[in-house]
Amino acid sequence: MAMALRALGRRISHSDRFFSSLSEAAKPPSDGKLINLFTAINQALHIALDTDPRSYVFGEDVRFGGVFRCTTGLTDKFGRDRVFNTPLCEQGIIGFAIGLAAMGNRAIAEIQFADYIYPAFDQIVNEAAKFRYRSGNEFNCGGLTVRSPYGAVGHGGHYHSQSPESFFCHVPGLKVVIPRSPRQAKGLLLSCIRDPNPVIFFEPKLLYRLSVEEVPEDDYMLPLSEAEVIRQGSDITLIGWGAQLSILEQACDAAAKEGISCELIDLKTLIPWDKETVESSVRKTGKLLISHEAPVTGGFGAEISASIVERCFLRLEAPIARVCGLDTPFPLVYEQFYLPTMNKILDAIKATVKY
Amino acid sequence: MVTTPVLLLPTTIVTIRPFADSSLHSSMAASAVVRRLSSAPLRDHRLLRPFSSTGSESTITVETSVPFTGHKINPPSRSVETTPVELLSFFRDMSLMRRMEIAADSLYKSKLIRGFCHLYDGQESIAIGLEAAITKKDAIITAYRDHCICLGRGGTLVESFAELMGRRAGCSKGKGGSMHFYKKESGFFGGHGIVGAQVPLGCGLAFAQKYLKEGTVSFALYGDGAANQGQLFEALNISALWDLPAILVCENNHCEQGRIQDLNIEGAKTSVGPCFTSELHANLYSNYYIKLKRLSIRIAFLSHSWHSSYADGMGTAEWRSSKSPAYYKRGDYVPGLKVDGMDVLAVKQASKFAKEYALKNGPIILEMDTYRYHGHSMSDPGSTYRTRDEISGVRQERDPIERIRKLLLSHEIATVSDLKDIEKEVRREVEEAIAQAKENLMPDPSELFTNVYVKGFGVEVSGNASDVVKNEFS
């Protein structure tokens, strides 16, 4: 089922407040209801708890449904022993989750905003990522999944808009996964929960309500570490993840009007990332542009750029462009200047193609 | 008619006139004080400082609402000395803070303030009582519910409103917003967004003060939510080890960020309700919380039974966010004091006591039992985890401004109409400040890049490979 889904192109439909409707990639069969991102995640959590009696969901305020409604109905269905609130202590939450996972359980911990994940950074990097390695495979915390909303939302300011994915991409032993839409989110989250490695699942908070798509109601998984070409093109390859993909899609449409054919790839899993798909696309187009909200210096785009240069140096026709957030803290009032907007991306596409 | 000018502030002209109502028995030297502001070009509406040293005013002794409860320390006496001038200043300043917060509420609803806005109304007595006991050389650091603390530290209304609206005249140049007010010259170290992060900073401030030997202390304010952060205990241990003059003040408003809480007052129990911890989700989901099941909440929130109340947070009796909700005892080896945070005189007494203690002995914890009328932030209505009856009950029984009003009237320091005049004046000041702040501009776009580093470091403006611009900004 997952294979069939993957083989088809995706048509992502969003409500039209922010995003234009997308290209005419092959339309998947409508085998599901139109739901938004938080509902899809909610469904995934329901299925995960249903199928594994040793799985637990916890975090700050999850019992009543969570601040983004991702955990509604879980306590009613599975009880307070499996879906419970924690105090306000991120380091404690993750440390606790690692311990729970080390005993063979599936611990699905929520960090309320990715901006608050830093107290837990030590636990994630030093404990979770290295557990299997340092114990010679005697122990592991593969059952750990950390879910956290990330990304800009329009008025989040310094501490409700950050994209910290690149910090975790630097840690061997972890997986980092970011969905772009409800259908992706449900399948990817189920894969993350069932993956025998600790995974950080960042959810684009901007899309919780805005992104609406037909999502199958049954249990399905989407493969990790497989990037997806969501739009075919020939002139330049664009890579992004999460909410940024919608911006990239708008830029693709705008570029198409100027005769530039863009190939758009959703990376989905940031580590370990699908180098082959990206490489074969760059071999086709000869140009690459990466876009993410996180600040450009040291962002994950730098890793992609360096790896692709190593693999495709002679094929590249232009320097790899990165259109990313600025190297400042996430600003309070000038968010629209800070973010990699459609216009910035379009300029970069044109500059790269005309190099 | 006796007119005795009393100089309170350089910018003020003060006259004292006897009671308008001659039937009142004016036995005391002090009579009603009406203050008129001078018309300075930039109206910086600051708080009135209690003028404590002349002795021309007679002192009044007032008992705090409840006695203090100590943990590993003998609590100070319930009797607090104050003066009529001080009481009036309390009234005026708390009214100013109250009005500012309410005005911020409507500014937020009319979208002039965006992002986050955590209001302090109900808790003003902590800010004012603290100020009455300390100097501007002492340091205060707090979390994000900081508008009134900044005002207490000498911030002006214009600065505050401008910062809330993100304008350049704001105390943080419009770059901080509601959660990041600062005032260096008065020892206000801000305004922090990450829960609990300000407490180790506060202990660091105390460390520096110990070196400076100026007889100053640091007050690190935090909420009952932050009380479970590990860094708090790390900071406490270090402070106790090195005898730092750090005073940790837990503003326990019984709503850990708006979490489900379980108040157990004299047997009455609340059940759980949903809540929001931030702006964003409530903005996104304001439709949904209306549909959430509202569980019935029965509560008798008695004004003087606070010592049996405690914050459970998070759920029913079986689960709490805090295993021990007696936050003043959480320091274990660090002594603590439980204070009725809505009695400004109690706060003043406790703060004075704490400062003396900390300078000699090291850290101490003050738990201020208080209440906030608004929700956690502007997106939290505050009524999903508490009833309107509870909120209005607190307003009637424990409101800090009302308590001072009653004192002023019963001690015949002011009449009802005097106090009304003060409130009208305060309202006017706030409106003027808002008007002024509204006219102020947003920061220049170049400010996006300033103050990331100290001047001399380059900042890459865009990530576009073919258009890399290196700018030198300060």
Side-chain angles (χ1 to χ4, degrees):
Chain A
M1 169 73 171
M3 303 278 276
L5 285 175
R6 189 162 41 98
L8 297 166
R10 297 244 182 284
R11 189 176 75 95
I12 303 164
S13 63
H14 299 285
S15 71
D16 58 37
R17 260 175 53 195
F18 275 70
F19 312 112
S20 53
S21 60
L22 293 196
S23 77
E24 310 313 286
K27 189 178 168 177
S30 23
D31 51 350
K33 296 221 293 256
L34 269 177
I35 56 172
N36 58 25
L37 186 65
F38 74 77
T39 314
I41 290 172
N42 188 244
Q43 281 186 13
L45 291 173
H46 271 275
I47 291 171
L49 289 173
D50 228 352
T51 50
D52 186 349
R54 291 182 70 187
S55 49
Y56 305 85
V57 172
F58 49 92
E60 293 162 22
D61 301 320
V62 298
R63 256 189 52 199
F64 85 98
V67 294
F68 290 108
R69 323 300 304 129
C70 294
T71 49
T72 26
L74 291 175
T75 316
D76 292 338
K77 190 160 169 210
F78 299 101
R80 271 196 243 128
D81 290 337
R82 292 180 66 196
V83 181
F84 50 90
N85 287 336
T86 60
L88 213 170
C89 49
E90 290 73 22
Q91 184 171 18
I93 294 171
I94 300 300
F96 169 86
I98 293 169
L100 194 58
M103 292 286 269
N105 302 297
R106 290 196 208 283
I108 307 164
E110 177 183 299
I111 296 290
Q112 198 163 78
F113 282 86
D115 313 58
Y116 310 155
I117 203 169
Y118 306 111
F121 196 67
D122 173 65
Q123 285 288 337
I124 294 173
V125 171
N126 278 331
E127 301 303 323
K130 301 171 167 68
F131 208 156
R132 191 189 292 272
Y133 187 83
R134 68 173 187 255
S135 67
N137 205 19
E138 223 180 295
F139 285 102
N140 70 81
C141 56
L144 174 69
T145 304
V146 178
R147 289 181 40 244
S148 190
Y150 88 103
V153 75
H155 53 273
H158 320 87
Y159 299 113
H160 294 77
S161 320
Q162 291 177 37
S163 304
E165 70 268 5
S166 67
F167 294 116
F168 300 97
C169 291
H170 192 52
V171 185
L174 290 181
K175 292 197 177 183
V176 176
V177 178
I178 305 184
R180 69 169 184 271
S181 73
R183 191 171 205 152
Q184 293 293 312
K186 182 173 171 182
L188 287 172
L189 182 55
L190 282 167
S191 299
C192 291
I193 292 171
R194 292 163 180 166
D195 189 278
N197 294 293
V199 183
I200 320 256
F201 187 76
F202 285 116
E203 302 164 359
K205 66 170 86 71
L206 182 65
L207 301 183
Y208 274 135
R209 273 202 322 177
L210 288 176
S211 181
V212 178
E213 196 179 22
E214 279 163 1
V215 177
E217 283 185 28
D218 49 345
D219 184 347
Y220 67 96
M221 289 167 53
L222 292 174
L224 300 184
S225 295
E226 278 192 28
E228 186 186 340
V229 180
I230 53 181
R231 197 188 276 226
Q232 300 275 352
S234 54
D235 292 331
I236 182 172
T237 301
L238 308 180
I239 296 184
W241 49 85
Q244 192 62 12
L245 279 168
S246 322
I247 314 287
L248 284 166
E249 273 162 342
Q250 289 173 38
C252 283
D253 290 337
K257 294 199 183 94
E258 310 209 12
I260 302 175
S261 156
C262 302
E263 177 144 306
L264 183 55
I265 298 181
D266 176 8
L267 203 57
K268 297 209 272 193
T269 303
L270 267 62
I271 49 162
W273 62 285
D274 184 356
K275 297 181 182 161
E276 281 67 36
T277 304
V278 177
E279 185 186 341
S280 63
S281 172
V282 174
R283 286 202 179 282
K284 187 168 72 161
T285 63
K287 301 169 215 73
L288 179 60
L289 181 148
I290 308 156
S291 183
H292 56 70
E293 281 175 24
V296 61
T297 299
F300 195 61
E303 154 64 24
I304 299 175
S305 178
S307 294
I308 294 299
V309 164
E310 277 170 12
R311 289 169 170 236
C312 310
F313 178 71
L314 289 173
R315 174 66 188 94
L316 284 169
E317 297 170 12
I320 298 178
R322 290 180 294 159
V323 184
C324 306
L326 300 175
D327 284 332
T328 71
F330 201 100
L332 183 67
V333 293
Y334 284 123
E335 187 165 322
Q336 66 271 34
F337 290 113
Y338 172 90
L339 287 174
T341 55
M342 201 255 315
N343 286 324
K344 286 187 194 175
I345 297 172
L346 189 59
D347 285 346
I349 291 175
K350 290 195 277 198
T352 308
V353 164
K354 294 186 173 84
Y355 188 79
Chain B
M1 189 154 113
V2 177
T3 309
T4 313
V6 174
L7 185 67
L8 287 165
L9 274 183
T11 57
T12 66
I13 302 165
V14 180
T15 56
I16 299 179
R17 56 170 174 74
F19 297 112
D21 184 351
S22 56
S23 70
L24 281 176
H25 197 43
S26 61
S27 56
M28 308 203 303
S31 43
V33 173
V34 173
R35 186 171 65 91
R36 266 185 285 118
L37 293 174
S38 68
S39 46
L42 179 67
R43 299 275 203 107
D44 63 355
H45 303 288
R46 292 177 194 268
L47 297 185
L48 186 57
R49 296 283 156 265
F51 194 67
S52 52
S53 65
T54 53
S56 64
E57 308 285 348
S58 55
T59 50
I60 307 168
T61 309
V62 183
E63 285 229 314
T64 62
S65 60
V66 286
F68 299 102
T69 319
H71 165 71
K72 298 204 172 152
I73 195 167
N74 282 328
S77 140
R78 265 178 96 159
S79 304
V80 187
E81 297 211 331
T82 180
T83 67
V85 172
E86 185 178 60
L87 286 176
L88 272 165
S89 77
F90 284 167
F91 181 82
R92 189 187 182 280
D93 295 342
M94 287 199 286
S95 302
L96 192 72
M97 289 179 175
R98 179 68 58 92
R99 190 86 334 249
M100 176 177 80
E101 296 295 74
I102 293 175
D105 179 312
S106 32
L107 283 176
Y108 189 91
K109 289 180 175 143
S110 48
K111 298 214 189 269
L112 281 163
I113 299 177
R114 300 220 58 213
F116 299 93
C117 197
H118 304 84
L119 298 175
Y120 201 69
D121 50 322
Q123 300 183 211
E124 302 90 349
S125 39
I126 298 177
I128 296 290
L130 199 54
E131 290 298 332
I134 62 177
T135 71
K136 289 295 178 285
K137 299 203 91 187
D138 296 307
I140 300 184
I141 191 170
T142 184
Y144 41 77
R145 212 173 291 278
D146 57 350
H147 312 158
C148 298
I149 309 276
C150 189
L151 215 64
R153 290 264 89 183
T156 65
L157 284 173
V158 176
E159 266 174 8
S160 305
F161 284 117
E163 188 59 41
L164 286 172
M165 296 195 263
R167 310 295 167 103
R168 58 180 76 183
C171 48
S172 305
K173 300 201 196 119
K175 293 172 77 164
S178 161
M179 294 201 281
H180 306 286
F181 280 31
Y182 293 85
K183 196 144 191 76
K184 184 171 180 183
E185 60 266 25
S186 345
F188 179 47
F189 288 80
H192 296 83
I194 301 296
V195 169
Q198 73 278 10
V199 178
L201 262 76
C203 297
L205 299 174
F207 187 74
Q209 284 173 329
K210 189 160 177 150
Y211 267 104
L212 290 172
K213 295 192 173 61
E214 285 172 350
T216 51
V217 295
S218 290
F219 288 83
L221 275 58
Y222 60 99
D224 41 317
N228 294 316
Q229 281 279 316
Q231 49 193 325
L232 209 115
F233 297 95
E234 294 181 13
L236 256 183
N237 180 51
I238 291 179
S239 306
L241 211 48
W242 298 336
D243 296 325
L244 302 182
I247 299 153
L248 273 65
V249 181
C250 179
E251 294 180 288
N252 184 3
N253 56 23
H254 300 280
C255 309
E256 185 190 305
Q257 278 204 86
R259 276 187 176 78
I260 306 160
Q261 43 111 19
D262 184 11
L263 284 166
N264 199 334
I265 318 271
E266 308 229 335
K269 275 181 69 167
T270 69
S271 47
V272 306
C275 57
F276 294 88
T277 61
S278 109
E279 200 54 42
L280 289 166
H281 45 273
N283 276 344
L284 294 171
Y285 305 109
S286 53
N287 298 325
Y288 291 89
Y289 83 76
I290 295 167
K291 296 177 193 164
L292 287 170
K293 200 166 52 168
R294 284 195 198 203
L295 307 172
S296 65
I297 300 177
R298 294 171 291 113
I299 183 171
F301 201 100
L302 305 172
S303 58
H304 300 302
S305 61
W306 58 266
H307 34 270
S308 61
S309 73
Y310 54 91
D312 281 339
M314 316 283 285
T316 60
E318 297 91 33
W319 179 267
R320 306 173 189 178
S321 71
S322 303
K323 182 65 179 170
S324 161
Y327 297 103
Y328 70 109
K329 290 188 184 166
R330 285 283 199 89
D332 182 26
Y333 42 83
V334 171
L337 206 61
K338 182 153 181 178
V339 184
D340 179 2
M342 299 190 91
D343 178 355
V344 64
L345 292 167
V347 174
K348 174 186 163 190
Q349 180 89 320
S351 308
K352 206 155 127 256
F353 176 78
K355 177 170 174 176
E356 281 160 16
Y357 179 88
L359 280 171
K360 279 208 291 281
N361 304 303
I364 180 172
I365 298 181
L366 295 180
E367 180 186 338
M368 302 284 178
D369 192 327
T370 184
Y371 199 82
R372 54 164 168 75
Y373 297 137
H374 270 90
H376 161 70
S377 72
M378 281 309 299
S379 46
D380 171 20
S383 51
T384 50
Y385 46 90
R386 18 180 230 189
T387 52
R388 293 196 200 287
D389 286 341
E390 176 193 316
I391 301 172
S392 55
V394 175
R395 256 191 220 277
Q396 276 172 0
E397 304 279 339
R398 297 182 66 199
D399 185 273
I401 300 178
E402 289 314 306
R403 191 192 294 275
I404 295 297
R405 191 196 300 270
K406 286 187 198 128
L407 264 177
L408 287 170
L409 293 174
S410 68
H411 285 268
E412 296 169 356
I413 303 170
T415 61
V416 170
S417 70
D418 291 332
L419 299 181
K420 279 215 169 56
D421 285 342
I422 293 179
E423 286 177 317
K424 262 192 248 154
E425 199 187 303
V426 151
R427 201 184 273 261
R428 192 181 47 81
E429 276 179 43
V430 166
E431 282 164 15
E432 279 171 9
I434 293 177
Q436 216 178 333
K438 273 189 195 166
E439 286 167 29
N440 200 246
L441 297 169
M442 304 277 263
D444 189 83
S446 64
E447 289 281 346
L448 178 52
F449 307 106
T450 59
N451 308 127
V452 180
Y453 294 100
V454 176
K455 195 181 178 98
F457 286 81
V459 172
E460 212 174 278
V461 171
S462 93
N464 194 319
S466 66
D467 184 20
V468 171
V469 179
K470 264 202 166 46
N471 291 292
E472 298 274 328
F473 290 99
S474 61

